[in-house]
Amino acid sequence: AAGAYPIESLQAMRMIVKEADQIIDQGASLNRVNVNESLVDIANIQEDQCLHAVAKSSVKSARDLGAKLIIAITTSGKVARFVASHRPTVPVLAFCTDPQVARRLQLNRGILPVMLQSTLDPLSAGTRMGVLRAEAMRTAIELGFARSGDRVITVDRTVGKPHDMHTHSFNMKMSTLKQ
């Protein structure tokens, strides 16, 4: 909130969010959207449908398996926003490589952005996401969001290798942290 009345702006935003949460909690479906296909890139819609499915599965899995948190490794914030849109009951730690993305994610309900302390580029075909996932889990433990024996869900988008039959994939992994 900025301008001459930042406190009043925040109070108004809080009331809007509270009312919107009540509407969502009453079971209104936000998944049905009519799209004019001539105005939208269909490839992006299909990609978003895949991400939507993985995000929804990660939230359901976290709930069903008693996971302590969901870790989203993201460069644009999209993965974390899709996960948060399903209203998880556990924290969503969004590991980012760009400080601007982290700042923008602070405006989203239920997302806690964390800067990824790695020189690896998640969008590079040569990057092994397992290394980034391990770094994210280590950081989550250091920050006190998880400890050994806890279940953690990770969600990310990986770029296909030259020998793969795909350009990218969305991944969800459930891990139990070592003791």
Side-chain angles (χ1 to χ4, degrees):
Y5 303 98
I7 302 296
E8 291 81 0
S9 297
L10 285 173
Q11 289 171 338
M13 285 185 232
R14 184 173 181 220
M15 288 186 335
I16 291 167
V17 168
K18 190 174 182 178
E19 186 174 335
D21 281 348
Q22 288 173 348
I23 291 168
I24 290 172
D25 288 341
Q26 292 170 1
S29 176
L30 299 177
N31 296 331
R32 292 187 292 269
V33 178
N34 294 326
V35 177
N36 181 344
E37 291 183 11
S38 64
L39 300 175
V40 179
D41 181 5
I42 300 301
N44 283 339
I45 290 176
Q46 291 171 340
E47 182 176 318
D48 286 354
Q49 286 175 334
C50 293
L51 178 53
H52 170 75
V54 171
K56 186 175 183 177
S57 295
S58 70
V59 172
K60 183 175 181 349
S61 295
R63 194 172 292 129
D64 292 349
L65 299 171
K68 295 295 182 192
L69 76 143
I70 298 172
I71 293 174
I73 300 173
T74 182
T75 55
S76 67
K78 192 174 190 178
V79 171
R81 286 192 307 272
F82 270 65
V83 170
S85 74
H86 294 285
R87 300 175 54 79
T89 56
V90 297
V92 176
L93 292 185
F95 284 85
C96 312
T97 55
D98 183 353
Q100 268 192 317
V101 171
R103 281 194 296 274
R104 277 189 243 122
L105 285 174
Q106 289 177 334
L107 300 174
N108 291 268
R109 178 194 179 281
I111 299 177
L112 301 165
V114 178
M115 288 302 297
L116 190 58
Q117 301 300 315
S118 175
T119 58
L120 296 175
D121 178 13
L123 295 178
S124 170
T127 298
R128 295 187 57 230
M129 287 304 289
V131 174
L132 295 178
R133 286 185 204 108
E135 176 64 22
M137 286 184 219
R138 185 193 59 75
T139 304
I141 291 169
E142 284 181 5
L143 293 174
F145 286 98
R147 60 178 185 250
S148 63
D150 285 347
R151 288 183 174 161
V152 174
I153 305 289
T154 56
V155 184
D156 58 63
R157 177 184 189 267
T158 58
V159 178
K161 309 285 188 251
H163 62 275
D164 288 337
M165 296 298 292
H166 60 277
T167 55
H168 66 271
S169 61
F170 294 105
N171 307 298
M172 178 193 79
K173 292 192 178 239
M174 193 287 297
S175 304
T176 303
L177 299 176
K178 285 183 180 180
Q179 295 201 14

